[in-house]
Amino acid sequence: MLEQASEYGDPLPRYTPPRCLLERQAVGGCDACHATCPHGAIVLGPLGQSVSIDPARCTGCGLCVQVCPSGALEYDLMAPLQSVRDARQDAGGVASLTCSQSGAGGPSLTCLGRVTPAVVAAAGAWGTPLTLVHGECSACPVGAPDVPERVRRVVEEAQALRAPTGQPTQVTVRRATSEDHNLGLKLSRRGAFAALFRAGRQQVAQALPERPLPFVDWSQPQQRVPEEWRWRAAALRPVPAPDAAVHWPAPLVDDTCIDCPVCANVCPTEAITREFKPEGGVMLLLNLAACTGCMACVRSCPPDAMHPQAEWLPAAFQAPILLRDSGSVM
């Protein structure tokens, strides 16, 4: 408990350089986090120091994480996910996440900028209605004036993912009212103590506990995929019908491909890999579940041989997709 308390409240997101499109030297680069930060806390630098975060300016609003196309910036999702899941038993099946500045009760995030498509999609997979309550954003010292609109776009993205399951998330985004001070978790005394000792996953009072994420061990392939996209894939429940179209933007390759390694080199999660054949030539493979849809490969392809495809059949998630099988290699 003391360890949790000492680490609680660190507002800085985790930065994983190998996932950054600047570090990958993708054509066109990326300045999404820098352009989005409302407090000037993110500075872009040279290769090796592409992104740095000023702890004196960062408020932990999470807006940079929301817009990062590759998961290079991320917060721990377990606290809000645990709160949503536990709401099925502890709060009559209705979950809420509130902005810390809203004055509303219940589990709160620093800012609703922390809400991601994975959290919204998971609520739908668990069949748990979700209410997202924000405060007065126009002059908020933590987030930005357009946070409610950003959250609605996040919800739209989550609903597009959940469409083939036939079970959209029941989600409401609204401003806090005077009645929201009673909004919260209805826990028994025993339930409160159980929640307290649940390794910081569920909170008893207001702010959801969180711990700084450990550094990614890039030698472990499963850690290369951001938690956000692992949860998006896990939230495809109920399992879509075999002929359902799953919204998951990823690249395809046409016959103008020159078999160069650029797409694999710039892929921030190494979802695209090249396998050399014993008889010569190369196979280009795509792990769809590991693809974040950043399209760095599409923008960087020298002959413009790569093109985005928005929808895939569920079977495409079960095994690597053969994008190209060539008898030559560059």
Side-chain angles (χ1 to χ4, degrees):
M1 290 174 61
L2 291 175
E3 180 185 5
Q4 291 289 328
S6 66
E7 293 184 336
Y8 166 72
D10 184 353
L12 299 183
R14 176 174 67 180
Y15 172 57
T16 303
R19 292 194 196 128
C20 180
L21 300 188
L22 294 177
E23 288 293 313
R24 287 284 179 172
Q25 302 185 65
V27 171
C30 179
D31 68 347
C33 58
H34 172 75
T36 296
C37 180
H39 309 291
I42 297 180
V43 178
L44 304 182
L47 194 65
Q49 298 178 328
S50 294
V51 173
S52 59
I53 304 173
D54 184 349
R57 290 177 175 268
C58 179
T59 64
C61 66
L63 294 176
C64 59
V65 173
Q66 265 191 2
V67 301
C68 181
S70 60
L73 293 169
E74 55 187 339
Y75 281 112
D76 185 9
L77 294 178
M78 291 311 299
L81 285 169
Q82 185 72 52
S83 178
V84 171
R85 189 174 69 176
D86 287 354
R88 289 184 299 175
Q89 294 102 8
D90 297 333
V94 179
S96 68
L97 293 172
T98 69
C99 165
S100 65
Q101 304 296 300
S102 68
S108 69
L109 299 167
T110 305
C111 172
L112 289 193
R114 295 274 194 111
V115 176
T116 67
V119 174
V120 178
W126 293 325
T128 304
L130 176 62
T131 299
L132 302 172
V133 182
H134 61 84
E136 173 51 65
C137 298
S138 60
C140 179
V142 176
D146 63 343
V147 163
E149 180 57 33
R150 291 171 183 261
V151 173
R152 291 185 179 93
R153 291 198 295 267
V154 165
V155 170
E156 290 174 0
E157 188 173 354
Q159 298 290 37
L161 177 63
R162 290 213 49 76
T165 71
Q167 183 178 301
T169 303
Q170 298 179 51
V171 58
T172 302
V173 181
R174 63 173 177 81
R175 184 173 171 178
T177 67
S178 59
E179 299 178 356
D180 285 324
H181 65 280
N182 290 322
L183 182 65
L185 298 176
K186 299 178 181 178
L187 292 174
S188 65
R189 185 175 181 180
R190 176 179 296 180
F193 277 103
L196 181 61
F197 285 97
R198 199 180 293 140
R201 299 302 190 190
Q202 174 70 42
Q203 70 101 37
V204 177
Q206 287 281 336
L208 292 172
E210 64 177 322
R211 297 179 62 174
L213 291 167
F215 287 109
V216 171
D217 182 356
W218 203 256
S219 67
Q220 302 297 319
Q222 66 272 19
Q223 292 193 31
R224 297 171 190 168
V225 182
E227 188 178 34
E228 168 71 18
W229 276 267
R230 292 201 299 268
W231 274 99
R232 289 189 192 189
L236 283 171
R237 299 290 186 274
V239 177
D243 59 348
V246 178
H247 183 76
W248 195 285
L252 283 176
V253 179
D254 64 31
D255 290 337
T256 62
C257 175
I258 58 176
D259 304 311
C260 75
V262 170
C263 57
N265 290 344
V266 302
C267 182
T269 58
E270 300 189 7
I272 297 177
T273 55
R274 303 167 82 225
E275 289 190 7
F276 296 97
K277 299 185 293 184
E279 68 275 17
V282 64
M283 293 189 299
L284 192 65
L285 302 173
L286 169 68
N287 178 357
L288 184 62
C291 179
T292 68
C294 70
M295 299 303 164
C297 55
V298 173
R299 296 195 305 273
S300 302
C301 180
D304 291 328
M306 306 196 82
H307 312 280
Q309 177 166 299
E311 297 178 336
W312 302 77
L313 295 177
F317 291 87
Q318 304 306 313
I321 299 169
L322 180 62
L323 295 177
R324 180 171 171 80
D325 189 346
S326 174
S328 64
V329 61
M330 178 178 286

